Amino acid sequence: MQEDSYTLITNTKKHTHALEHLLFEEKKPKMATTSTSTGDIKKTKSVEVKKKLNVLIVDDDTVIRKLHENIIKSIGGISQTAKNGEEAVNIHRDGNASFDLILMDKEMPERDGLSATKKLREMKVTSMIIGVTTLADNEEERKAFMEAGLNHCLAKPLSKAKILPLINNLMDA
Amino acid sequence: MELVQMQKSLQDYTKSLFLDGVLDSQFLQLQQLQDESNPDFVSQVVTLFFQDSDRILNDLSLSLDQQVVDFKKVDPHVHQLKGSSSSIGAQRVKNACVVFRSFCEQQNVEGCHRCLQQVKKEYYLVKNRLETLFKLEQQIVASGGMIPAMELGF
């Protein structure tokens, strides 16, 4: 059965397809389809899905949080911020947090990005996590950060030009 | 001053900031995020940078003036300033912070003191020049003109 885009969004395992839909959602309402017990496809009332890319920005620096908020806004997303890894973990503790993407800084007080990423994956958080490193970080440090559970790493400073293709590439993978 | 002349002055002044290495291409990224729905984005982010930097530089001065310098306190401040200066394109501040961090790593107090002076010098330079830039933009807008798009043909 061909899955419609609404099904893709509600299926949390297919978050990469959900991201594509969220970023490139057509303005026309989509026809939702349901399958009957005989397998026939039956057209139902049209369903308009309105959901924006939901991003958690984790960084201890005010300037960088503001910059990343605007980058996400410029690509049609919405965002929430956390000042450090511990805050990011606490946001997920009640199990209701649902972010499509987490931008995770590496060096932060209280709990750093590596520790926070490890903890979030232990908590079965399936959001895409992009680590934000600096050029000063060596290959070993980046590798350790990736192995903590990142989907990808980007070097600061972030820009719209850097982040948008990465999201597209991850969707194609 | 005529509007066209003001706009030309703004373009020349902005170009000089890049030619002198005070700003890098990250500043252009900030400008690209500014639009009708977010008309003051650049000045808001830069203002935040000034507020944070003033606080950090003050904390650094206090930390380095202690009899026994705690580099575990100094280095995170420099790291933060390096990150935020890099994010707004304040290239010379960022570069000065890179050098500063290496002296922190060596726990070289004298080197850190020299670096702090250099960081302050570069910070006050970019602060003055950006404040002048914003004043020029305000004059143009007050005269009913548009801020010209940056053409960096160099």
Side-chain angles (χ1 to χ4, degrees):
Chain A
M1 182 185 80
Q2 194 177 3
E3 287 181 285
D4 63 285
S5 53
Y6 183 75
T7 307
L8 285 171
I9 286 172
T10 56
N11 185 342
T12 54
K13 287 181 186 173
K14 295 189 176 156
H15 58 250
T16 53
H17 294 288
L19 280 174
E20 181 175 356
H21 179 87
L22 292 170
L23 285 172
F24 304 104
E25 187 183 316
E26 290 173 20
K27 296 299 174 191
K28 291 179 189 172
K30 297 199 188 318
M31 297 297 289
T33 58
T34 53
S35 175
T36 64
S37 56
T38 60
D40 295 332
I41 303 297
K42 183 178 167 186
K43 289 222 169 119
T44 60
K45 205 168 148 185
S46 66
V47 172
E48 194 169 52
V49 179
K50 288 177 185 173
K51 189 177 183 287
K52 290 190 172 190
L53 183 72
N54 190 9
V55 182
L56 177 63
I57 294 163
V58 189
D59 202 298
D60 58 328
D61 188 80
T62 328
V63 174
I64 293 172
R65 285 198 303 272
K66 179 129 181 117
L67 171 64
H68 292 179
E69 275 181 303
N70 267 272
I71 290 173
I72 297 305
K73 188 179 162 189
S74 76
I75 60 172
I78 54 173
S79 61
Q80 191 175 329
T81 60
K83 292 192 188 84
N84 54 58
E86 190 61 25
E87 262 191 41
V89 168
N90 287 339
I91 284 168
H92 286 83
R93 283 202 194 279
D94 63 4
N96 292 329
S98 169
F99 296 101
D100 303 298
L101 172 64
I102 300 173
L103 292 176
M104 183 74 77
D105 185 26
K106 186 166 160 285
E107 285 187 47
M108 293 179 286
E110 307 274 338
R111 189 194 280 264
D112 66 21
L114 201 147
S115 165
T117 303
K118 255 191 205 162
K119 184 68 184 171
L120 289 174
R121 292 308 191 204
E122 281 168 17
M123 292 163 69
K124 309 286 182 212
V125 170
T126 57
S127 310
M128 191 175 302
I129 305 180
I130 295 177
V132 183
T133 59
T134 69
L135 288 172
D137 292 326
N138 61 39
E139 197 51 45
E140 259 182 54
E141 287 166 331
R142 267 193 287 274
K143 192 178 168 207
F145 200 6
M146 284 294 299
E147 284 171 357
L150 297 182
N151 294 91
H152 206 84
C153 239
L154 282 175
K156 282 183 193 182
L158 287 194
S159 64
K160 185 175 167 179
K162 271 186 189 174
I163 197 166
L164 198 50
L166 181 63
I167 290 175
N168 290 341
N169 285 341
L170 286 171
M171 288 182 308
D172 291 341
Chain B
M1 199 191 284
E2 275 188 33
L3 184 59
V4 171
Q5 213 175 329
M6 279 198 279
Q7 287 169 328
K8 178 80 172 54
S9 294
L10 174 67
Q11 280 187 314
D12 290 343
Y13 190 76
T14 310
K15 204 184 258 192
S16 74
L17 288 174
F18 289 94
L19 284 171
D20 293 345
V22 175
L23 295 178
D24 63 26
S25 60
Q26 180 63 17
F27 189 77
L28 295 174
Q29 298 284 339
L30 287 194
Q31 290 182 318
Q32 283 174 16
L33 289 170
Q34 184 162 290
D35 56 25
E36 298 81 33
S37 68
N38 216 351
D40 300 317
F41 172 65
V42 177
S43 64
Q44 282 174 3
V45 170
V46 171
T47 302
L48 264 178
F49 169 69
F50 291 159
Q51 288 167 355
D52 273 4
S53 301
D54 286 337
R55 178 185 51 79
I56 289 171
L57 289 171
N58 188 52
D59 288 347
L60 277 170
S61 296
L62 289 172
S63 296
L64 286 176
D65 278 344
Q66 300 302 307
Q67 262 200 316
V68 179
V69 174
D70 184 354
F71 287 97
K72 284 188 182 146
K73 278 192 179 162
V74 173
D75 187 64
H77 284 317
V78 183
H79 167 76
Q80 192 177 347
L81 185 57
K82 190 188 92 162
S84 57
S85 60
S86 169
S87 292
I88 69 145
Q91 182 174 241
R92 282 162 64 157
V93 176
K94 179 198 78 180
N95 291 343
C97 288
V98 169
V99 179
F100 198 157
R101 282 201 92 189
S102 67
F103 280 108
C104 288
E105 227 173 298
Q106 296 164 33
Q107 303 207 354
N108 183 328
V109 175
E110 200 185 307
C112 284
H113 272 289
R114 285 199 304 270
C115 283
L116 177 59
Q117 295 317 307
Q118 185 63 23
V119 167
K120 281 181 174 176
K121 180 184 160 196
E122 298 299 350
Y123 168 67
Y124 290 123
L125 174 70
V126 71
K127 188 174 182 190
N128 287 339
R129 292 185 75 171
L130 282 175
E131 282 172 345
T132 301
L133 181 81
F134 294 143
K135 277 199 186 106
L136 286 171
E137 287 183 346
Q138 281 162 12
Q139 282 169 3
I140 289 169
V141 170
S143 302
M146 300 272 288
I147 309 294
M150 263 313 298
E151 286 166 24
L152 295 176
F154 56 88

